[in-house]
Amino acid sequence: MKAFRLDDLEAERAANNGAYLQFLRERNMSVGLYALDAGATDPQQPHQQDEVYFVVSGRASVTVGDETTQVARGSVVYVPAGVMHRFHHISEDLRVLVVFSPPES
């Protein structure tokens, strides 16, 4: 078993001065914590893997392809591999668990 606490992951991410912390990598998936502060710009480019976002906290809009929706704590968003996507209009600090399958390269 591998178990994690979000508070510990957030502290580790912040200590490393990065927006993304990959904390689990297995044969068929990887998981990370992504953080964007209110007003920030999301620099993402399409990934080669399918991904699922689970919003832990915050508020923003997300655009996947040509569809846009509002997200907040508890939102889950699927992004197919190769599709342009981006968080924007981030009105509250955003913390998102990201699951990549297969693992992010």
Side-chain angles (χ1 to χ4, degrees):
M1 175 194 307
K2 296 178 183 176
F4 305 91
R5 291 182 38 87
L6 282 173
D7 291 344
D8 295 339
L9 296 172
E10 175 62 13
E12 183 179 349
R13 185 207 56 80
N16 289 311
N17 296 319
Y20 184 72
L21 171 70
Q22 182 182 92
F23 61 88
L24 179 65
R25 183 178 180 86
E26 297 295 333
R27 184 170 49 93
N28 294 317
M29 61 178 270
S30 61
V31 184
L33 178 64
Y34 189 42
L36 293 166
D37 292 337
T41 299
D42 183 3
Q44 290 193 80
Q45 294 295 316
H47 304 283
Q48 296 176 1
Q49 306 81 4
D50 287 343
E51 58 187 311
V52 173
Y53 291 115
F54 173 74
V55 178
V56 174
S57 63
R59 291 186 178 279
S61 296
V62 64
T63 298
V64 177
D66 59 0
E67 296 180 86
T68 299
T69 191
Q70 302 293 313
V71 294
R73 186 174 65 99
S75 297
V76 178
V77 177
Y78 166 68
V79 179
V83 174
M84 188 65 136
H85 59 285
R86 179 154 295 141
F87 291 100
H88 52 93
H89 296 95
I90 303 166
S91 59
E92 295 176 14
D93 292 353
L94 194 62
R95 300 299 181 264
V96 181
L97 287 177
V98 185
V99 179
F100 287 100
S101 181
E104 183 181 29
S105 355

XYZ file of all heavy atoms in Angstrom:
819
model
N 0.841 -1.175 0.000
C 0.000 0.000 0.000
C 0.886 1.238 0.000
O 1.932 1.259 0.627
C -0.891 0.032 1.238
C -1.679 1.323 1.292
S -2.488 1.751 2.841
C -3.418 0.335 3.231
N 0.405 2.243 -0.694
C 1.015 3.569 -0.651
C -0.101 4.525 -0.286
O -1.156 4.523 -0.923
C 1.625 3.933 -1.998
C 2.775 3.028 -2.381
C 3.326 3.373 -3.738
C 4.412 2.382 -4.094
N 4.929 2.602 -5.436
N 0.111 5.323 0.736
C -0.908 6.269 1.193
C -0.282 7.652 1.291
O 0.903 7.789 1.632
C -1.463 5.834 2.550
N -1.084 8.678 0.990
C -0.583 10.050 0.940
C -1.565 10.979 1.633
O -2.770 10.723 1.643
C -0.417 10.498 -0.522
C 0.449 9.575 -1.329
C -0.106 8.515 -2.029
C 1.814 9.750 -1.383
C 0.678 7.645 -2.775
C 2.613 8.890 -2.124
C 2.046 7.839 -2.818
N -1.039 12.072 2.175
C -1.873 13.120 2.761
C -1.705 14.377 1.909
O -0.579 14.773 1.596
C -1.450 13.415 4.199
C -1.753 12.283 5.169
C -1.346 12.639 6.595
N -1.600 14.027 6.955
C -2.753 14.490 7.446
N -3.760 13.677 7.645
N -2.883 15.765 7.737
N -2.817 14.973 1.535
C -2.758 16.156 0.668
C -1.931 17.283 1.278
O -1.190 17.962 0.566
C -4.170 16.650 0.347
C -4.897 15.833 -0.713
C -6.342 16.281 -0.838
C -4.195 15.931 -2.050
N -2.052 17.485 2.583
C -1.268 18.548 3.227
C 0.231 18.318 3.042
O 0.990 19.252 2.762
C -1.595 18.643 4.721
C -2.995 19.159 4.981
O -3.616 19.733 4.054
O -3.475 18.997 6.116
N 0.662 17.056 3.176
C 2.083 16.734 2.993
C 2.507 16.923 1.544
O 3.594 17.430 1.263
C 2.362 15.291 3.422
C 2.133 15.057 4.906
O 2.148 16.034 5.699
O 1.924 13.883 5.280
N 1.661 16.510 0.613
C 1.973 16.677 -0.804
C 2.073 18.150 -1.176
O 2.975 18.562 -1.912
C 0.920 15.989 -1.669
C 0.832 14.469 -1.524
C -0.384 13.946 -2.279
C 2.115 13.804 -1.999
N 1.148 18.950 -0.658
C 1.175 20.393 -0.947
C 2.445 21.021 -0.383
O 3.072 21.858 -1.040
C -0.074 21.070 -0.383
C -0.101 22.569 -0.523
C -0.077 23.100 -1.959
O -0.279 22.329 -2.913
O 0.160 24.310 -2.120
N 2.845 20.629 0.806
C 4.070 21.169 1.401
C 5.299 20.782 0.570
O 6.187 21.614 0.345
C 4.212 20.672 2.838
N 5.353 19.534 0.118
C 6.474 19.089 -0.714
C 6.497 19.827 -2.044
O 7.552 20.251 -2.525
C 6.386 17.583 -0.953
C 7.554 17.034 -1.746
C 7.489 15.535 -1.963
O 6.656 14.853 -1.330
O 8.279 15.041 -2.790
N 5.322 19.987 -2.671
C 5.241 20.724 -3.939
C 5.732 22.153 -3.763
O 6.562 22.648 -4.520
C 3.804 20.717 -4.472
C 3.677 21.374 -5.850
C 2.302 21.937 -6.088
N 1.879 22.884 -5.089
C 2.253 24.171 -5.038
N 3.090 24.666 -5.914
N 1.794 24.964 -4.090
N 5.264 22.822 -2.713
C 5.651 24.210 -2.461
C 7.148 24.326 -2.161
O 7.809 25.270 -2.618
C 4.820 24.778 -1.316
N 7.696 23.376 -1.415
C 9.123 23.398 -1.072
C 9.997 23.264 -2.311
O 11.129 23.765 -2.338
C 9.442 22.290 -0.078
N 9.474 22.596 -3.343
C 10.224 22.424 -4.582
C 9.953 23.519 -5.601
O 10.415 23.445 -6.742
C 9.921 21.052 -5.184
C 10.536 19.943 -4.365
O 11.709 20.005 -4.033
N 9.749 18.950 -4.012
N 9.165 24.533 -5.206
C 8.882 25.697 -6.053
C 8.334 25.329 -7.424
O 8.660 25.975 -8.420
C 10.125 26.572 -6.214
C 10.563 27.171 -4.913
O 9.739 27.613 -4.110
N 11.856 27.164 -4.657
N 7.518 24.304 -7.486
C 6.953 23.906 -8.771
C 5.441 23.870 -8.710
O 4.855 23.724 -7.645
N 4.806 23.991 -9.879
C 3.351 23.926 -9.941
C 2.867 22.479 -9.915
O 1.721 22.223 -9.579
C 2.849 24.621 -11.211
N 3.753 21.520 -10.249
C 3.333 20.120 -10.350
C 4.282 19.224 -9.571
O 5.507 19.355 -9.665
C 3.309 19.684 -11.818
C 2.793 18.277 -12.014
C 1.444 17.991 -11.844
C 3.649 17.252 -12.356
C 0.961 16.694 -12.012
C 3.170 15.951 -12.538
C 1.825 15.692 -12.357
O 1.346 14.416 -12.526
N 3.701 18.300 -8.817
C 4.469 17.304 -8.072
C 3.920 15.925 -8.409
O 2.776 15.608 -8.066
C 4.339 17.541 -6.564
C 4.918 16.423 -5.673
C 6.447 16.409 -5.745
C 4.430 16.581 -4.252
N 4.713 15.124 -9.112
C 4.316 13.737 -9.345
C 4.686 12.961 -8.076
O 5.844 12.965 -7.661
C 5.043 13.149 -10.545
C 4.612 11.721 -10.839
C 5.372 11.121 -11.998
O 6.404 10.491 -11.795
N 4.880 11.351 -13.210
N 3.701 12.310 -7.463
C 3.984 11.606 -6.221
C 3.757 10.109 -6.313
O 4.069 9.380 -5.368
C 3.196 12.202 -5.046
C 1.703 12.138 -5.175
C 1.001 11.030 -4.729
C 1.002 13.197 -5.738
C -0.376 10.969 -4.841
C -0.382 13.147 -5.845
C -1.074 12.030 -5.400
N 3.259 9.632 -7.448
C 3.070 8.197 -7.620
C 3.263 7.864 -9.092
O 2.700 8.525 -9.968
C 1.661 7.784 -7.173
C 1.312 6.312 -7.314
C 2.175 5.454 -6.384
C -0.165 6.088 -7.011
N 4.074 6.836 -9.335
C 4.284 6.373 -10.712
C 4.293 4.851 -10.687
O 5.115 4.244 -10.001
C 5.590 6.909 -11.273
C 5.807 6.518 -12.715
C 7.107 7.106 -13.248
N 7.293 6.735 -14.617
C 6.802 7.381 -15.668
N 6.095 8.467 -15.495
N 7.023 6.961 -16.888
N 3.376 4.272 -11.409
C 3.260 2.819 -11.514
C 3.272 2.440 -12.989
O 3.317 3.306 -13.853
C 1.975 2.340 -10.834
C 1.922 2.620 -9.337
C 2.963 1.866 -8.535
O 3.396 0.774 -8.977
O 3.353 2.340 -7.463
N 3.204 1.158 -13.261
C 3.306 0.672 -14.643
C 2.240 1.263 -15.556
O 2.518 1.613 -16.705
C 3.213 -0.854 -14.647
C 3.405 -1.483 -16.000
C 3.547 -2.995 -15.922
N 2.513 -3.622 -15.120
C 1.364 -4.104 -15.621
N 1.126 -4.026 -16.904
N 0.490 -4.667 -14.821
N 0.998 1.400 -15.071
C -0.111 1.822 -15.927
C -0.647 3.222 -15.652
O -1.613 3.636 -16.293
C -1.263 0.819 -15.800
C -0.891 -0.531 -16.359
O -0.284 -0.617 -17.423
N -1.213 -1.584 -15.641
N -0.062 3.913 -14.685
C -0.584 5.249 -14.360
C 0.429 6.032 -13.548
O 1.353 5.469 -12.969
C -1.873 5.152 -13.552
C -1.676 4.440 -12.225
S -3.160 4.350 -11.233
C -3.005 5.839 -10.319
N 0.240 7.346 -13.532
C 0.981 8.205 -12.614
C -0.009 9.217 -12.050
O -1.051 9.494 -12.653
C 2.154 8.904 -13.309
O 1.708 9.735 -14.353
N 0.317 9.735 -10.858
C -0.568 10.675 -10.176
C 0.266 11.833 -9.652
O 1.368 11.640 -9.130
C -1.320 10.010 -8.999
C -2.303 10.978 -8.371
C -2.019 8.742 -9.451
N -0.283 13.039 -9.783
C 0.417 14.211 -9.294
C -0.544 15.238 -8.741
O -1.765 15.121 -8.885
N 0.032 16.236 -8.093
C -0.713 17.375 -7.566
C -0.316 18.602 -8.372
O 0.877 18.907 -8.496
C -0.385 17.586 -6.082
C -1.050 18.779 -5.411
C -2.575 18.609 -5.389
C -0.513 18.960 -3.996
N -1.311 19.281 -8.947
C -1.084 20.462 -9.774
C -1.672 21.657 -9.050
O -2.794 21.586 -8.548
C -1.766 20.261 -11.135
C -1.437 21.295 -12.180
C -0.148 21.773 -12.360
C -2.427 21.770 -13.022
C 0.150 22.698 -13.340
C -2.142 22.694 -14.018
C -0.846 23.160 -14.171
O -0.565 24.081 -15.144
N -0.911 22.749 -8.999
C -1.344 23.937 -8.267
C -1.225 25.175 -9.147
O -0.186 25.416 -9.761
C -0.489 24.119 -7.010
N -2.295 25.930 -9.197
C -2.304 27.223 -9.881
C -2.964 28.227 -8.945
O -4.090 27.994 -8.486
C -3.089 27.140 -11.196
C -2.466 26.272 -12.288
C -3.487 25.995 -13.379
C -1.239 26.963 -12.862
N -2.272 29.318 -8.650
C -2.836 30.328 -7.767
C -3.836 31.203 -8.509
O -3.826 31.287 -9.744
C -1.723 31.191 -7.165
C -0.850 30.407 -6.193
O -1.321 29.388 -5.645
O 0.303 30.815 -5.981
N -4.702 31.853 -7.750
C -5.708 32.751 -8.335
C -5.018 33.736 -9.274
O -3.962 34.295 -8.943
C -6.453 33.487 -7.233
N -5.590 33.890 -10.461
C -5.049 34.821 -11.450
C -3.908 34.272 -12.285
O -3.453 34.925 -13.219
N -3.429 33.075 -11.977
C -2.293 32.495 -12.710
C -2.694 32.084 -14.125
O -3.873 31.927 -14.440
C -1.754 31.284 -11.953
N -1.683 31.881 -14.957
C -1.869 31.378 -16.313
C -1.417 29.926 -16.352
O -0.342 29.596 -15.853
C -1.022 32.204 -17.309
O -1.455 33.561 -17.247
C -1.180 31.690 -18.724
N -2.219 29.072 -16.935
C -1.913 27.650 -17.058
C -1.136 27.430 -18.353
O -1.676 27.615 -19.437
C -3.222 26.856 -17.068
C -3.021 25.364 -17.127
O -1.861 24.897 -17.109
O -4.039 24.651 -17.189
N 0.128 27.012 -18.263
C 0.962 26.874 -19.463
C 0.884 25.508 -20.144
O 1.698 25.209 -21.020
C 2.370 27.094 -18.891
C 2.300 26.486 -17.528
C 0.894 26.813 -17.036
N -0.068 24.662 -19.780
C -0.109 23.296 -20.291
C -0.191 23.209 -21.808
O -0.799 24.050 -22.457
C -1.326 22.557 -19.727
C -1.214 22.260 -18.269
C -2.282 21.280 -17.884
O -2.128 20.090 -18.119
N -3.360 21.783 -17.312
N 0.394 22.143 -22.300
C 0.256 21.741 -23.694
C -0.392 20.358 -23.688
O -0.374 19.671 -22.662
C 1.635 21.671 -24.360
C 2.323 23.022 -24.469
C 1.563 23.971 -25.381
O 1.110 23.583 -26.452
N 1.412 25.212 -24.961
N -0.968 19.907 -24.811
C -1.573 18.573 -24.835
C -0.563 17.493 -24.426
O 0.629 17.605 -24.702
C -1.982 18.397 -26.298
C -2.179 19.782 -26.794
C -1.130 20.601 -26.087
N -1.074 16.476 -23.744
C -0.238 15.363 -23.292
C -0.481 14.147 -24.180
O -1.510 14.049 -24.845
C -0.584 15.005 -21.838
C -0.451 16.158 -20.906
N 0.762 16.611 -20.439
C -1.376 16.963 -20.358
C 0.577 17.640 -19.646
N -0.722 17.884 -19.581
N 0.441 13.213 -24.144
C 0.313 11.987 -24.932
C -0.509 10.930 -24.212
O -0.736 9.853 -24.749
C 1.698 11.428 -25.256
C 2.514 12.351 -26.118
C 3.920 11.810 -26.342
O 4.275 10.740 -25.864
N 4.715 12.558 -27.075
N -0.936 11.223 -22.992
C -1.691 10.278 -22.186
C -3.096 10.817 -21.916
O -3.297 12.019 -21.863
C -1.013 10.068 -20.818
C 0.430 9.658 -20.882
C 1.388 10.819 -21.100
O 1.018 11.983 -21.146
N 2.659 10.491 -21.246
N -4.035 9.906 -21.700
C -5.331 10.307 -21.161
C -5.093 10.816 -19.752
O -4.160 10.361 -19.065
C -6.291 9.119 -21.088
C -6.812 8.674 -22.444
O -6.713 9.449 -23.420
O -7.327 7.555 -22.519
N -5.926 11.751 -19.305
C -5.778 12.224 -17.931
C -7.130 12.550 -17.318
O -8.092 12.845 -18.019
C -4.829 13.423 -17.832
C -5.201 14.620 -18.648
C -4.126 15.691 -18.622
O -3.639 16.061 -17.542
O -3.773 16.162 -19.713
N -7.172 12.437 -16.001
C -8.354 12.789 -15.223
C -7.920 13.800 -14.183
O -6.904 13.605 -13.494
C -8.966 11.548 -14.538
C -10.087 11.956 -13.588
C -9.476 10.568 -15.573
N -8.667 14.894 -14.088
C -8.442 15.915 -13.062
C -9.515 15.774 -11.987
O -10.698 15.669 -12.311
C -8.580 17.323 -13.646
C -7.488 17.727 -14.602
C -7.774 17.961 -15.940
C -6.195 17.903 -14.163
C -6.786 18.355 -16.819
C -5.191 18.304 -15.033
C -5.496 18.527 -16.351
O -4.509 18.911 -17.213
N -9.098 15.794 -10.738
C -10.023 15.853 -9.607
C -9.681 17.120 -8.834
O -8.572 17.254 -8.299
C -9.895 14.631 -8.694
C -10.719 14.756 -7.443
C -12.096 14.625 -7.500
C -10.128 15.038 -6.227
C -12.874 14.777 -6.351
C -10.886 15.188 -5.079
C -12.256 15.057 -5.138
N -10.610 18.078 -8.804
C -10.358 19.359 -8.146
C -10.517 19.188 -6.638
O -11.588 18.871 -6.143
C -11.299 20.465 -8.683
C -11.048 21.780 -7.947
C -11.108 20.637 -10.194
N -9.411 19.400 -5.933
C -9.374 19.284 -4.479
C -9.872 20.573 -3.833
O -10.596 20.549 -2.841
C -7.938 18.964 -4.005
C -7.838 18.971 -2.488
C -7.468 17.646 -4.583
N -9.463 21.709 -4.411
C -9.896 23.007 -3.885
C -9.730 24.068 -4.961
O -8.993 23.886 -5.917
C -9.096 23.386 -2.633
O -7.720 23.525 -2.949
N -10.429 25.183 -4.769
C -10.321 26.310 -5.684
C -11.474 26.391 -6.667
O -12.387 25.553 -6.666
N -11.397 27.420 -7.511
C -12.414 27.661 -8.540
C -11.734 28.182 -9.788
O -10.831 29.008 -9.713
C -13.433 28.700 -8.081
C -14.320 28.257 -6.980
C -15.408 29.311 -6.693
N -16.281 28.840 -5.655
C -17.275 27.991 -5.832
N -17.545 27.542 -7.032
N -18.013 27.594 -4.824
N -12.229 27.698 -10.937
C -11.674 28.133 -12.219
C -12.613 27.685 -13.329
O -13.608 27.001 -13.084
C -10.291 27.527 -12.438
N -12.246 28.061 -14.535
C -12.848 27.485 -15.735
C -11.809 26.570 -16.337
O -10.609 26.769 -16.163
C -13.210 28.582 -16.745
O -14.197 29.429 -16.235
N -12.277 25.557 -17.053
C -11.367 24.700 -17.803
C -11.945 24.532 -19.196
O -13.158 24.373 -19.372
C -11.136 23.329 -17.109
C -12.405 22.510 -17.039
C -10.015 22.559 -17.785
N -11.064 24.627 -20.176
C -11.451 24.395 -21.558
C -10.720 23.155 -22.041
O -9.495 23.044 -21.888
C -11.105 25.609 -22.440
O -11.847 26.742 -21.971
C -11.450 25.353 -23.895
N -11.484 22.220 -22.595
C -10.947 20.992 -23.170
C -11.461 20.947 -24.601
O -12.673 20.869 -24.819
C -11.406 19.747 -22.369
C -10.897 18.479 -23.034
C -10.957 19.839 -20.918
N -10.534 21.037 -25.558
C -10.955 21.137 -26.953
C -11.740 22.418 -27.135
O -11.248 23.500 -26.825
N -12.987 22.324 -27.577
C -13.811 23.525 -27.767
C -14.923 23.636 -26.724
O -15.854 24.418 -26.886
C -14.376 23.588 -29.184
C -15.247 22.380 -29.526
O -15.414 21.480 -28.670
O -15.763 22.332 -30.654
N -14.817 22.866 -25.632
C -15.816 22.918 -24.558
C -15.219 23.547 -23.309
O -14.085 23.257 -22.943
C -16.303 21.518 -24.208
C -17.024 20.819 -25.335
C -17.476 19.438 -24.908
O -18.574 19.341 -24.320
O -16.717 18.478 -25.144
N -16.014 24.397 -22.651
C -15.589 25.069 -21.421
C -16.617 24.828 -20.335
O -17.824 24.833 -20.597
C -15.433 26.590 -21.656
O -14.423 26.792 -22.658
C -15.029 27.310 -20.383
N -16.122 24.606 -19.108
C -17.006 24.450 -17.961
C -16.342 25.057 -16.735
O -15.128 25.272 -16.714
C -17.364 22.966 -17.718
O -18.415 22.892 -16.758
C -16.166 22.170 -17.221
N -17.143 25.326 -15.726
C -16.647 25.815 -14.445
C -16.296 24.602 -13.584
O -17.000 23.589 -13.621
C -17.726 26.632 -13.731
C -18.239 27.818 -14.528
C -17.179 28.878 -14.698
O -16.514 29.262 -13.750
N -16.998 29.325 -15.928
N -15.204 24.714 -12.811
C -14.830 23.651 -11.888
C -14.607 24.239 -10.503
O -14.227 25.401 -10.355
C -13.577 22.876 -12.350
C -13.864 22.103 -13.629
C -12.380 23.789 -12.529
N -14.852 23.404 -9.504
C -14.631 23.760 -8.103
C -14.402 22.456 -7.350
O -14.435 21.363 -7.945
C -15.843 24.509 -7.548
N -14.191 22.556 -6.043
C -13.933 21.371 -5.224
C -14.929 20.256 -5.549
O -16.131 20.474 -5.602
C -14.035 21.737 -3.748
C -13.654 20.607 -2.815
C -13.631 21.073 -1.393
N -14.958 21.455 -0.934
C -15.749 20.676 -0.213
N -15.359 19.487 0.146
N -16.935 21.099 0.156
N -14.387 19.080 -5.838
C -15.220 17.923 -6.158
C -15.442 17.687 -7.637
O -15.932 16.624 -8.019
N -15.075 18.629 -8.487
C -15.240 18.441 -9.937
C -14.248 17.407 -10.462
O -13.103 17.341 -9.998
C -15.001 19.758 -10.690
O -15.937 20.731 -10.338
N -14.685 16.626 -11.440
C -13.840 15.651 -12.104
C -13.939 15.908 -13.607
O -15.043 16.017 -14.143
C -14.288 14.208 -11.785
C -13.429 13.196 -12.536
C -14.250 13.952 -10.282
N -12.780 16.005 -14.270
C -12.742 16.311 -15.704
C -11.830 15.300 -16.387
O -10.700 15.071 -15.943
C -12.204 17.739 -15.954
C -12.098 18.025 -17.449
C -13.064 18.774 -15.258
N -12.316 14.711 -17.472
C -11.519 13.786 -18.286
C -10.997 14.544 -19.505
O -11.759 15.264 -20.170
C -12.372 12.600 -18.740
C -11.725 11.793 -19.838
C -10.582 11.052 -19.593
C -12.258 11.782 -21.120
C -9.978 10.305 -20.607
C -11.666 11.042 -22.138
C -10.524 10.313 -21.863
O -9.931 9.590 -22.862
N -9.705 14.349 -19.809
C -9.082 14.959 -20.980
C -8.442 13.848 -21.811
O -7.502 13.192 -21.349
C -8.004 15.992 -20.579
C -7.362 16.600 -21.819
C -8.590 17.074 -19.683
N -8.936 13.609 -23.036
C -8.325 12.591 -23.884
C -6.912 12.995 -24.320
O -6.598 14.191 -24.433
C -9.246 12.534 -25.110
C -10.495 13.246 -24.718
C -10.112 14.223 -23.653
N -6.085 12.009 -24.554
C -4.717 12.247 -25.026
C -4.734 13.129 -26.274
O -5.583 12.960 -27.152
C -4.035 10.920 -25.324
N -3.799 14.067 -26.333
C -3.618 14.898 -27.514
C -4.557 16.083 -27.644
O -4.429 16.866 -28.584
N -5.503 16.264 -26.731
C -6.475 17.354 -26.833
C -5.974 18.575 -26.057
O -5.545 18.460 -24.905
C -7.859 16.908 -26.307
C -8.828 18.072 -26.280
C -8.401 15.774 -27.170
N -6.040 19.727 -26.701
C -5.641 20.982 -26.054
C -6.570 21.227 -24.873
O -7.787 21.055 -24.975
C -5.733 22.134 -27.063
C -5.172 23.410 -26.538
S -3.412 23.203 -26.259
C -2.799 24.690 -26.925
N -5.997 21.643 -23.737
C -6.791 21.927 -22.543
C -6.057 22.937 -21.676
O -4.834 23.043 -21.740
C -7.074 20.639 -21.758
C -5.834 19.917 -21.322
N -5.064 19.196 -22.206
C -5.235 19.803 -20.125
C -4.039 18.672 -21.564
N -4.119 19.028 -20.286
N -6.833 23.659 -20.867
C -6.228 24.713 -20.062
C -7.209 25.175 -18.999
O -8.400 25.317 -19.264
C -5.892 25.876 -20.987
C -5.283 27.058 -20.297
C -4.428 27.855 -21.228
N -3.331 26.958 -21.584
C -2.778 26.857 -22.781
N -3.181 27.589 -23.745
N -1.804 26.031 -23.022
N -6.695 25.397 -17.774
C -7.467 26.083 -16.741
C -7.304 27.578 -16.952
O -6.232 28.045 -17.358
C -6.949 25.707 -15.339
C -7.230 24.279 -14.960
C -6.253 23.304 -15.060
C -8.484 23.913 -14.497
C -6.510 21.996 -14.713
C -8.758 22.595 -14.148
C -7.771 21.635 -14.261
N -8.350 28.342 -16.695
C -8.283 29.795 -16.855
C -9.325 30.446 -15.949
O -10.118 29.751 -15.317
C -8.475 30.197 -18.324
C -9.695 29.612 -18.960
N -10.898 30.274 -18.998
C -9.906 28.412 -19.569
C -11.796 29.525 -19.621
N -11.212 28.377 -19.966
N -9.294 31.759 -15.876
C -10.185 32.497 -14.977
C -10.164 31.861 -13.581
O -11.209 31.540 -13.008
C -11.613 32.572 -15.528
C -11.692 33.352 -16.807
N -11.647 32.740 -18.033
C -11.775 34.675 -17.036
C -11.713 33.657 -18.976
N -11.783 34.855 -18.396
N -8.963 31.676 -13.078
C -8.771 31.036 -11.775
C -9.071 32.076 -10.697
O -8.292 32.997 -10.473
C -7.341 30.477 -11.645
C -7.079 29.495 -12.799
C -7.135 29.821 -10.279
C -5.630 29.128 -12.989
N -10.225 31.930 -10.048
C -10.664 32.935 -9.077
C -10.283 32.582 -7.642
O -10.276 33.458 -6.782
C -12.177 33.153 -9.180
O -12.857 31.941 -8.951
N -9.989 31.312 -7.374
C -9.494 30.864 -6.066
C -8.358 29.888 -6.320
O -8.428 29.093 -7.263
C -10.594 30.150 -5.273
C -11.756 31.027 -4.871
C -12.853 30.231 -4.164
O -12.608 29.075 -3.760
O -13.963 30.772 -4.042
N -7.311 29.939 -5.476
C -6.170 29.040 -5.639
C -6.662 27.626 -5.945
O -7.482 27.078 -5.213
C -5.307 29.019 -4.381
C -4.583 30.343 -4.131
O -4.640 31.236 -4.998
O -3.963 30.465 -3.061
N -6.142 27.049 -7.023
C -6.604 25.769 -7.538
C -5.605 24.671 -7.185
O -4.398 24.817 -7.417
C -6.735 25.891 -9.059
C -7.493 24.829 -9.819
C -8.951 24.769 -9.377
C -7.410 25.110 -11.312
N -6.098 23.588 -6.608
C -5.290 22.394 -6.315
C -6.019 21.210 -6.930
O -7.192 20.967 -6.628
C -5.098 22.184 -4.814
C -4.389 23.352 -4.117
C -2.989 23.581 -4.674
N -2.269 24.654 -4.023
C -2.197 25.911 -4.463
N -2.857 26.271 -5.568
N -1.487 26.802 -3.818
N -5.318 20.489 -7.802
C -5.942 19.446 -8.610
C -5.090 18.184 -8.565
O -3.876 18.243 -8.786
C -6.075 19.922 -10.076
C -6.745 18.878 -10.936
C -6.815 21.249 -10.159
N -5.716 17.046 -8.283
C -5.050 15.758 -8.456
C -5.165 15.383 -9.922
O -6.238 15.505 -10.518
C -5.705 14.683 -7.598
C -5.444 14.750 -6.111
C -6.219 13.660 -5.385
C -3.965 14.629 -5.810
N -4.059 14.922 -10.497
C -4.009 14.572 -11.914
C -3.596 13.112 -12.039
O -2.562 12.714 -11.505
C -2.996 15.457 -12.676
C -3.045 15.156 -14.168
C -3.218 16.925 -12.397
N -4.402 12.334 -12.739
C -4.085 10.934 -12.994
C -3.827 10.782 -14.490
O -4.681 11.126 -15.306
C -5.242 10.004 -12.575
C -4.907 8.555 -12.881
C -5.580 10.191 -11.090
N -2.625 10.303 -14.827
C -2.255 10.031 -16.223
C -2.247 8.530 -16.449
O -1.757 7.770 -15.618
C -0.837 10.534 -16.525
C -0.696 12.017 -16.638
C -0.211 12.757 -15.574
C -1.028 12.678 -17.807
C -0.054 14.123 -15.671
C -0.871 14.048 -17.927
C -0.397 14.771 -16.841
N -2.797 8.108 -17.601
C -2.721 6.705 -17.969
C -2.510 6.609 -19.477
O -3.309 7.169 -20.228
C -3.995 5.969 -17.580
O -3.898 4.607 -17.911
N -1.442 5.969 -19.911
C -0.345 5.421 -19.140
C 0.424 6.527 -18.415
O 0.089 7.700 -18.582
C 0.527 4.722 -20.200
C 0.220 5.436 -21.475
C -1.206 5.884 -21.357
N 1.457 6.197 -17.628
C 2.163 7.224 -16.857
C 2.696 8.339 -17.744
O 3.077 8.103 -18.903
C 3.322 6.464 -16.214
C 2.930 5.034 -16.250
C 2.037 4.871 -17.436
N 2.734 9.531 -17.174
C 3.290 10.687 -17.888
C 4.754 10.414 -18.202
O 5.494 9.898 -17.377
C 3.154 11.932 -17.025
C 3.637 13.180 -17.710
C 3.523 14.398 -16.820
O 3.605 14.261 -15.597
O 3.342 15.474 -17.387
N 5.176 10.764 -19.430
C 6.585 10.536 -19.791
C 7.461 11.652 -19.295
O 7.090 12.699 -19.008
C 6.778 10.426 -21.274
O 5.639 10.437 -22.034
